[in-house]
Amino acid sequence: MAVKFVKLVTGETVIGTHNEIKNGLEDVALIQVIPGSAGIQIAIVPYGFPFEEKIGGFISMDKVVYEYQSVPQDLENKYHEAKSNIKISSTMPQGDLSAPAGQKNEEKVIDIESLFRKP
């Protein structure tokens, strides 16, 4: 099942797992943008927050007004982390295993604002 990143008729931006049979999103999480002095941060919370503590629920695709063409990989990873409580390490090698043992990989810095800029 594919992860979809969409805007609802209510104006909320959510992420969830697409269920083709039911034609909707399952395990729905709300994306909250939090402005700060160093830019913006993104919070992923259960759609039913604060009354539900776990990501779940279902939203029919007829409540979607916009589907983003792609889900940024970092956002999808954070969604999976929030849904499963399993941390995805950003320091694991990604295809380049030629680095000598003991040498640290550089951590990737993510500019969250760039995810929302128009090209």
Side-chain angles (χ1 to χ4, degrees):
M1 293 199 280
V3 173
K4 301 269 185 183
F5 182 38
V6 301
K7 188 167 284 277
L8 302 177
V9 294
T10 59
E12 298 162 309
T13 304
V14 299
I15 189 169
T17 306
H18 186 244
N19 183 324
E20 291 183 28
I21 296 169
K22 293 182 178 179
N23 193 30
L25 296 177
E26 295 180 327
D27 298 329
V28 182
L30 182 64
I31 306 295
Q32 293 182 335
V33 178
I34 305 165
S37 60
I40 62 170
Q41 294 182 336
I42 293 179
I44 299 175
V45 297
Y47 189 77
F49 183 81
F51 303 106
E52 293 180 335
E53 294 180 13
K54 291 187 178 182
I55 293 176
F58 179 83
I59 295 177
S60 176
M61 289 302 282
D62 66 351
K63 304 296 185 249
V64 172
V65 294
Y66 183 79
E67 181 179 334
Y68 293 89
Q69 287 182 345
S70 63
V71 181
Q73 189 61 51
D74 296 328
L75 183 62
E76 185 172 345
N77 288 346
K78 293 297 179 188
Y79 167 70
H80 288 300
E81 285 178 13
K83 189 170 104 169
S84 67
N85 288 326
I86 298 173
K87 174 118 174 80
I88 298 171
S89 175
S90 62
T91 59
M92 292 183 68
Q94 296 186 7
D96 182 16
L97 299 176
S98 62
Q103 182 178 354
K104 291 184 178 180
N105 292 333
E106 291 183 26
E107 288 202 33
K108 190 171 151 185
V109 176
I110 301 156
D111 178 13
I112 298 297
E113 289 178 329
S114 69
L115 297 175
F116 297 98
R117 286 188 201 125
K118 292 183 180 179

